[in-house]
Amino acid sequence: MERAAALRAAGADGIFVPGAPGAVDPGTVGELVAGVDGPLHAMAGPGVPPVAEPAALGATRVSTGPGLARAAHPLVRRAARELPAAGTYRSLTRRARLRRGQHPLPGAVSTLSRRPA
């Protein structure tokens, strides 16, 4: 609570408490909301309830933080190994559910189909 007060005094718009002991426990979230003079932000991750629960306790934001990047890293590693080893990119498209006509890699330009000017 002291650190939160110091951050608010220094101009922080809200307080983010990543990894605080018990930060996913409803009692702790409620205690932090009550004790922090300003908006409290929570971090999504293992053990964190759906957004509605921290919101009902007074948290003003639930952030994914690095969670989305961490979830994507295994796919990136597989693709990075597959492309030079096999010359394919099936790992990028294997689980993709594409709409008709949608390219598996939006924004990608095939260098194989382009002719030099």
Side-chain angles (χ1 to χ4, degrees):
M1 298 294 181
E2 290 175 25
R3 184 173 181 193
L7 289 168
R8 289 287 290 158
D13 291 332
I15 301 301
F16 184 65
V17 189
V24 299
D25 171 65
T28 303
V29 172
E31 190 177 309
L32 288 167
V33 167
V36 170
D37 179 28
L40 178 74
H41 309 309
M43 168 102 72
V48 176
V51 172
E53 192 171 326
L57 295 167
T60 56
R61 176 179 166 213
V62 176
S63 173
T64 61
L68 293 175
R70 285 183 181 154
H73 286 164
L75 172 62
V76 171
R77 279 192 293 278
R78 281 193 304 275
R81 290 180 183 129
E82 176 188 353
L83 192 56
T88 61
Y89 49 87
R90 285 187 194 101
S91 58
L92 293 176
T93 60
R94 185 175 328 151
R95 293 184 183 96
R97 294 185 181 166
L98 304 175
R99 294 186 301 265
R100 183 176 297 259
Q102 181 183 9
H103 191 281
L105 303 172
V109 176
S110 171
T111 57
L112 299 176
S113 64
R114 299 178 85 195
R115 304 227 170 183

